[in-house]
Every structure is written in structure tokens, then in C-alpha cells.
Amino acid sequence: MQPAEQRDEVEMLALMLLIRRFEERASQQYQAQKIGGFCHLYIGQEAVVAGAVAATRDDDYIITAYRDHAHALARGTNADACMAELFGKETGCSRGLGGSMHFFNRSRHMYGGHAIVGAHVPLAAGMAFAIKYRGEDRVTLCFFGDGAINQGSFHEALNLMALYKLPIVLICENNLFAMGTSVKRSTSLKQIVDRAEGYDIPGEIVDGMNFREVRDKLAEIVSSIRKDPHPAFVEIRTYRYRGHSMSDPASYRTKAELEKYRLDDPITRLRAQLTREGKLTHEQFDKIDKQAKETVLASVKFAEKSPEPPLEKLYDYTYADGAKP
Amino acid sequence: MREITYRQALNEALAEELERDPNVFLMGEEVAEYHGAYKVSQGLLERFGPKRIIDTPISENGFAGLGVGAAMVGLRPIVEFMTFSFSFVAFDQVVNNAPNMFTMSGGQFNIPITFRGPNGPAHQLGATHSHATEPLYANAPGLKICTPATPRDAKGLLKTAVRDNNPVLVLEAELLYSSKGMVELPDEELLIPLGQAEVKREGSDVSIICYAQTVQLALAAAAQLEEENISSEIVDLRSIKPLDEKAIFDSVAKTHRVVIVEQDRPFCGVGAEVCYRIQKNIFDALDAPIIRVSQEDVPMPYNERLEKAVLPNAGKLIAAVKKVCYA
């Protein structure tokens, strides 16, 4: 396993660019009606998952909600399999049976992709429970949005995590809106991180537009959890540039607010940091970006020419033993 | 063989599976230090320790989901609901997460979890505590459901459920916990396959299709009917899903008359599905319309006399049998 501190920052920047270009292309393909159902884009939030991946090992468990394309990509799921899943193709990361909201990658320890708000937080508790049950030093990373923190499942799970001292980092990606409802209209708290206090779980606020801050803060937390299993909570303040889903024009917020965050773009910021420190030239950046665009374009071609899941396999994925009801 | 209670049979099944596989653990409200609200887990904490016999707070959604998550990474949880009436609090985990995961992940994550506990009406527990949940769960693809009626079936089905690689609901019955029956000795491995009905009594005039609490009811009615020269065949479904169509059709082909006695409500109940399949597949074998005996379609009243009126009973069942036999 690659220790976190060795993960190259330029590679992490490349990951963030891949996520952004993937989402831009997904948006375009959605508009071209190549992608069905709901489609939630991660644009603007890239530093959160990149920072988390940079702070953890490849065998740590990751689970998230429905804005999940980035988490699958960050865990090394190739863009082809991700795009093919959006297209509903058999070559997709969930064989075309999951769709945008249900990306899974067992071999990379990416446990979904869950579309009922808050319902995966108890699952994360179970994954962390299993780590402790087996006496391993892995950590579970459970991502969720600011909308999840008012669900009963979230509260029940946090109590269980604290009670059983489970090795888990609760990562609240606070992008300020649960669909169209702002945090201040949904949540009776001065700040989201205070939720953790009610369960005796330590909590911190992190700037989600700053890759290095996310990585360093999470690395510190994860290291303390590996030594002594316990839950920890981070409220990562971020922003999604697009609407809640493809069908949302996001008219509940102002242009000025969006512009303010765009000026603090996580990719631009990491790029500037690396450039200033002489670790990245403009030519190198352009090359990385070009590579990301090409990878994503190739993934569209791959998805287009991939086969549909065969009709005769319709009943093959209901029971693990092929039982017929 | 020796005679033990349904409760002891379940306890043996749990102990044997915990002993056999270190990935198996039991979790639920009061399962450890209190030994189970109905004492099914008596002695397990002392034998297997707090790591594997785990008390939870009253958070059905939370601990049912924890079980599903643990199953995603290879453990084999047994989650006890103090009663399945409380499983509604965890409904999202049981119907949305556990059975959907295998499909949604394109076959990457099967969920080997057992949800168990008493189900169906007991005695004067009122509307919230008397639900027969089987038709609700049977409507969710990906779940398997069994409903043991005897100590032997309870042990054999629970052990099979724990070993199954899918989410399985073992719907026990509070009123059966103290009932007794013959069960193989502990050193004989007892596994009863899911999806296999059992003819509990052979007969020639009518098939009485039943499961769970209605099996004893059907056997008692059959004895009474025998005195009136009506020979009843008792088919205990044992599993609701998968449903053993063959056993049902074989019996109906023999008797040509059917009464279904079920512990749930009539609307979209288990009997509706059984009835549909019989008429669709072996319509010509029928000599009379099928009659279903179920609960009345009302929330369960507390009052004892009204509760009796709501539940299926021997009188209702015998009347139905006579009607299909034109007796």
C-alpha cells in the first residue's frame, strides 16, 4: 500500500482534472440524452475526494452518497468503466445495473454509490465494525452531504460508531445546499460540525477548496484512528458549481455567490501552489489537462461501442445463488 | 431425536453457526446481557463473548444498516429484531439496501445477512405490535423469507439462512417459542433448504396450505375434519420466498380442492400469490374455487374478543374446507 505522504501532488492535481473533465463530458452526454435518470456532478468539490485519497491507503474503505463519480475515479476506477456505467452498458463499473448514483468497485474498496440520503451511513458503521472485529488497522471514509445530517439513519449510526468506538472518518461535504434548500433553512445548528459533539465525536472544519488542507487534516485524523480506533467528523466546506442534478438550474443562489467560489477554485489553487514552488510548469499543466480530456473523450467512445447488458441475464443479479422466487 | 422447544431449537442453531464460522455474529436489542427479549439467545454471551453477541441501543435502522455494511465486507451478521413489527423502523435498510446491493453493484456485493425475530400477531399486543410482515417483504426482490412452524424447521431453516449468501428473513412466532417438537440430536447436522415446503399431514380430499402459526391451526382442524370423514392434506410452505410451487401443485393435483390459511391480512397477502399461481398453472385440476382464510383487514384491536374475531381460527378454517368440499 502506498503511504499517504508519498502520493505525488502533481498526480493528485491530475486526478482532480480528470474528475472535472469527466463531469463536464458527462454533462454534455446527459444533454445529448446518452445518459438517463439522475446525474449529479462533482465540479467544484474535487479537492475533497482528492485530499481524502491522498491521506489514506488504497485498502481503506470508501463509501459515499449519490454524487459518486469522483469517488470511483479517485479510487482508480478507470474512466471507461465510469462512463460506460452512465451509458448503462455492461462494461460499466456496476454492469450498467447501477447507474450514475450507484457506482461500485469492490477490488478498489469503493463500496458505493448510495442514493437514499443518509441510508449509507449505517452501512459505513458496519464496514468500520468489520475492521475492528477483525483487528485490522484500516479506516472507513464515509462521505455524505450536508443534507444527510438531518436523517435518522445518520443520527443512529453516529451513536453506534461512538458507542462501539469504530474506526471511521465522517466526511461531510458541505456544499451549502441540500438539493435546493440551504443549510440555514434545513439545519438547526450554528455550524454543521457541532452535530458531532452530541455524540462525543471529535469534529473539525476544513477548507474544501484547499487540497493540502484537506489532505493534511485527514492524514492527521486517520493516523490517530489507526493507533486507537474511534470515529471522527470533518465538515469540509466546499461548493458545487452546477445545480443539484442536471435538471437543476440552481436559481436558489446568486451569480455573485457562484463567482466568489469559482475564484477560489480548488484546481486553480493547487496549480498555483505547485507552480509557485517550481514543481509544475505551464507546459506540464497543459499536458496533464490534455491527457485528462483525451482519457475522457476515449471513455465516451468506449461507452458508445460497449454492449448493453443482455436481456437473458435479467435475473442473474437478484440472488447471489441464482435462486428464482 | 429428542423433544425440545422452538426457542431451544433456535438457540441451538445460533450456537452451532457461531461455533462453526467466526464471521458470524449476533446483534440486536437485549440479545446479550438480557439474553434476548424472548430468551432465544440465552447463554450465548457467556459462551461467545461480547465481541460476537452484541447489545445495541434502540436504533433498528442504525443496527440493521450496520449489519448490511458488515456483510458487504464479508461478515455474516445475524440481526435480531425484538419483533418484526419494529423492523418497519429499519424498512429502508431491509428492502432498499440489503436486497438491492447485489443488483446495483452488478453482482459485486452480495449481502449474507440474516434478519430474525418474532413476526405475526401474538396475544393482545395491539395494532403496532401485531404485524405479519411477510407480504411486505415478499414484494422486495432479492430477499428470501422463511417461516418455521416447528422446532425442527426453526433450527434447520435458521442454520441454512445463516449460511445463505443472500439476505434472509427468518420470521419466527412469539406464540410458538414454547411449543415442543422432535429435533435431531445436536451432533447431527440439521439443514433444511429454503424454498422447500413440507407436507405435514397427508390427505386426499382437500389441500390446506399454511405456514408459521397457522400450521398448528391447520393440523388441529384436520383432526376435527377427519371425524367428519374429510381427509385434509396439510402443506406447510416453510418458505414464502422462494415459494415451493411444485409441492403446492403436487398436493392440489391430488386433492383438487384448496384452502389457504395465512396469518397475514387479505389484501395482497401471501395467499393471494399462492392462489394466483395455482389457477394460472393447474386450473384444470381444481374442482372448486380456492378460499383464503386470513386476518380481517383491520388494524389489530387490543380487546381479546375482537382480536379473536380478526384472526384465522379453526372454526373459520373448517367452514372454508366444508365449502370447497361442498360438504
Side-chain angles (χ1 to χ4, degrees):
Chain A
M1 293 304 144
Q2 193 169 26
E5 61 272 19
Q6 280 176 25
R7 288 201 210 262
D8 185 71
E9 287 188 324
V10 176
E11 274 177 33
M12 290 293 109
L13 180 68
L15 169 65
M16 289 162 69
L17 272 165
L18 176 67
I19 292 168
R20 180 156 305 180
R21 299 308 176 210
F22 182 90
E23 297 289 60
E24 287 167 353
R25 192 58 73 178
S27 166
Q28 183 211 40
Q29 294 299 308
Y30 189 90
Q31 279 156 345
Q33 297 183 315
K34 295 285 180 65
I35 298 169
F38 297 129
C39 187
H40 311 85
L41 305 179
Y42 200 69
I43 298 174
Q45 302 183 206
E46 295 90 345
V48 182
V49 77
V53 163
T56 48
R57 298 191 319 227
D58 291 341
D59 69 337
D60 288 325
Y61 296 153
I62 280 188
I63 185 167
T64 187
Y66 47 80
R67 199 178 300 284
D68 61 347
H69 310 163
H71 303 75
L73 288 165
R75 260 310 167 84
T77 313
N78 72 44
D80 286 356
C82 291
M83 193 62 80
E85 189 59 36
L86 295 180
F87 277 57
K89 297 300 183 71
E90 206 198 6
T91 51
C93 58
S94 301
R95 290 183 197 267
L97 306 181
S100 167
M101 303 189 285
H102 308 116
F103 277 26
F104 289 83
N105 188 341
R106 185 183 189 112
S107 63
R108 300 295 181 120
H109 298 294
M110 171 24 194
Y111 294 89
H114 297 273
I116 302 295
V117 173
H120 70 292
V121 186
L123 302 182
M127 291 153 55
F129 173 90
I131 293 170
K132 193 167 179 182
Y133 189 89
R134 294 182 170 129
E136 299 170 338
D137 73 341
R138 295 180 213 246
V139 171
T140 295
L141 303 180
C142 176
F143 296 82
F144 50 90
D146 44 276
I149 68 163
N150 299 314
Q151 277 281 33
S153 52
F154 171 86
H155 286 264
E156 292 187 22
L158 259 67
N159 185 50
L160 290 166
M161 291 167 190
L163 203 59
Y164 301 148
K165 297 190 171 51
L166 303 180
I168 186 162
V169 192
L170 292 150
I171 301 176
C172 179
E173 300 197 57
N174 178 9
N175 62 20
L176 309 183
F177 291 93
M179 204 169 156
T181 305
S182 69
V183 172
K184 61 175 183 288
R185 289 175 57 225
S186 69
T187 302
S188 175
L189 282 174
K190 286 194 187 65
Q191 48 186 16
I192 283 175
V193 71
D194 295 344
R195 268 282 187 270
E197 209 179 305
Y199 298 98
D200 253 343
I201 295 174
E204 296 195 55
I205 295 169
V206 179
D207 176 5
M209 307 310 261
N210 185 343
F211 165 81
R212 287 176 173 174
E213 185 176 326
V214 175
R215 177 198 57 195
D216 295 346
K217 188 53 76 183
L218 286 177
E220 191 185 303
I221 291 167
V222 165
S223 148
S224 97
I225 293 175
R226 286 202 214 283
K227 281 184 213 121
D228 175 32
H230 64 271
F233 188 104
V234 282
E235 175 194 344
I236 303 194
R237 292 185 175 168
T238 182
Y239 202 76
R240 60 169 152 76
Y241 297 173
R242 301 296 182 89
H244 162 72
S245 69
M246 282 302 298
S247 58
D248 170 23
S251 50
Y252 41 81
R253 60 190 193 188
T254 64
K255 258 196 166 144
E257 181 180 290
L258 176 60
E259 278 319 302
K260 187 188 100 181
Y261 282 97
R262 273 185 188 282
L263 288 173
D264 196 21
D265 183 78
I267 293 176
T268 309
R269 198 198 272 205
L270 180 58
R271 178 189 179 183
Q273 284 164 334
L274 290 167
T275 308
R276 208 162 45 234
E277 292 160 9
K279 294 173 182 162
L280 181 77
T281 64
H282 292 301
E283 293 71 31
Q284 281 170 317
F285 179 85
D286 290 343
K287 199 177 149 198
I288 294 167
D289 194 24
K290 186 161 171 271
Q291 178 64 49
K293 285 175 179 164
E294 282 169 2
T295 301
V296 170
L297 201 57
S299 77
V300 172
K301 292 205 177 94
F302 173 83
E304 271 172 346
K305 66 172 199 288
S306 287
E308 306 263 355
L311 277 174
E312 59 273 21
K313 284 192 184 171
L314 184 60
Y315 277 88
D316 287 7
Y317 298 104
T318 304
Y319 292 96
D321 50 10
K324 299 281 183 283
Chain B
M1 301 277 263
R2 75 261 132 87
E3 191 176 60
I4 57 172
T5 64
Y6 188 96
R7 174 186 289 108
Q8 284 171 298
L10 291 165
N11 181 274
E12 277 185 10
L14 292 171
E16 287 175 21
E17 293 310 298
L18 283 156
E19 188 65 54
R20 184 186 58 81
D21 184 349
N23 286 323
V24 174
F25 67 92
L26 173 68
M27 169 171 261
E29 293 154 3
E30 308 291 2
V31 298
E33 297 193 8
Y34 193 87
H35 300 292
Y38 296 100
K39 305 300 169 201
V40 170
S41 52
Q42 187 85 47
L44 297 181
L45 173 67
E46 291 71 15
R47 187 163 161 199
F48 297 100
K51 184 187 156 191
R52 301 181 66 200
I53 310 296
I54 303 148
D55 278 329
T56 66
I58 302 170
S59 304
E60 284 85 0
N61 187 344
F63 67 75
L66 188 154
V68 176
M72 284 182 81
V73 292
L75 297 186
R76 305 185 79 89
I78 303 170
V79 170
E80 175 174 314
F81 290 122
M82 194 181 286
T83 130
F84 264 87
S85 289
F86 303 165
S87 73
F88 295 159
V89 182
F91 203 61
D92 184 51
Q93 297 298 338
V94 182
V95 306
N96 230 343
N97 277 345
N100 284 348
M101 207 71 73
F102 190 64
T103 301
M104 292 195 302
S105 65
Q108 291 177 82
F109 293 99
N110 62 300
I111 306 296
I113 192 169
T114 303
F115 294 108
R116 52 154 291 271
N119 170 66
H123 185 61
Q124 282 199 281
L125 300 182
T128 57
H129 283 50
S130 301
H131 289 282
T133 62
E134 57 275 17
L136 298 167
Y137 290 119
N139 204 243
L143 294 178
K144 294 185 180 182
I145 301 165
C146 63
T147 52
T150 65
R152 184 174 185 274
D153 290 342
K155 183 172 179 185
L157 286 168
L158 176 53
K159 281 169 66 78
T160 302
V162 174
R163 297 183 193 193
D164 199 279
N165 284 327
N166 301 283
V168 182
L169 274 55
V170 180
L171 304 181
E172 302 159 6
E174 184 190 329
L175 296 181
L176 295 175
Y177 280 137
S178 296
S179 66
K180 289 180 176 172
M182 299 303 284
V183 180
E184 281 82 344
L185 289 165
D187 53 3
E188 284 175 69
E189 187 78 284
L190 175 61
L191 293 165
I192 295 173
L194 296 165
Q196 206 175 86
E198 186 179 62
V199 175
K200 289 283 199 277
R201 180 189 201 277
E202 301 229 7
S204 54
D205 296 331
V206 61
S207 298
I208 300 177
I209 297 170
C210 52
Y211 63 91
Q213 309 194 50
T214 60
V215 175
Q216 293 308 324
L217 175 64
L219 286 167
Q224 256 180 277
L225 286 160
E226 190 71 55
E227 289 170 18
E228 299 181 45
N229 290 321
I230 296 174
S231 164
S232 313
E233 179 146 297
I234 308 297
V235 181
D236 174 6
L237 295 176
R238 297 202 294 193
S239 291
I240 303 300
K241 210 174 187 183
L243 187 66
D244 188 351
E245 281 189 337
K246 186 178 179 301
I248 296 168
F249 298 163
D250 285 351
S251 180
V252 176
K254 183 172 148 192
T255 65
H256 311 292
R257 297 166 198 277
V258 184
V259 172
I260 303 166
V261 55
E262 56 197 300
Q263 60 176 8
D264 60 354
R265 279 68 173 255
F267 200 99
C268 298
V270 168
E273 177 70 20
V274 173
C275 186
Y276 166 76
R277 294 200 193 192
I278 293 171
Q279 64 79 32
K280 177 171 179 274
N281 290 284
I282 51 166
F283 184 78
D284 289 342
L286 289 172
D287 283 348
I290 297 168
I291 295 183
R292 292 171 61 205
V293 179
S294 68
Q295 286 190 41
E296 296 295 322
D297 205 359
V298 294
M300 187 65 79
Y302 160 72
N303 174 273
E304 192 171 25
R305 194 165 72 103
L306 291 182
E307 183 182 58
K308 273 187 182 155
V310 168
L311 293 171
N313 59 38
K316 292 178 192 179
L317 177 54
I318 288 168
V321 168
K322 287 183 177 172
K323 198 162 179 194
V324 300
C325 293
Y326 306 116

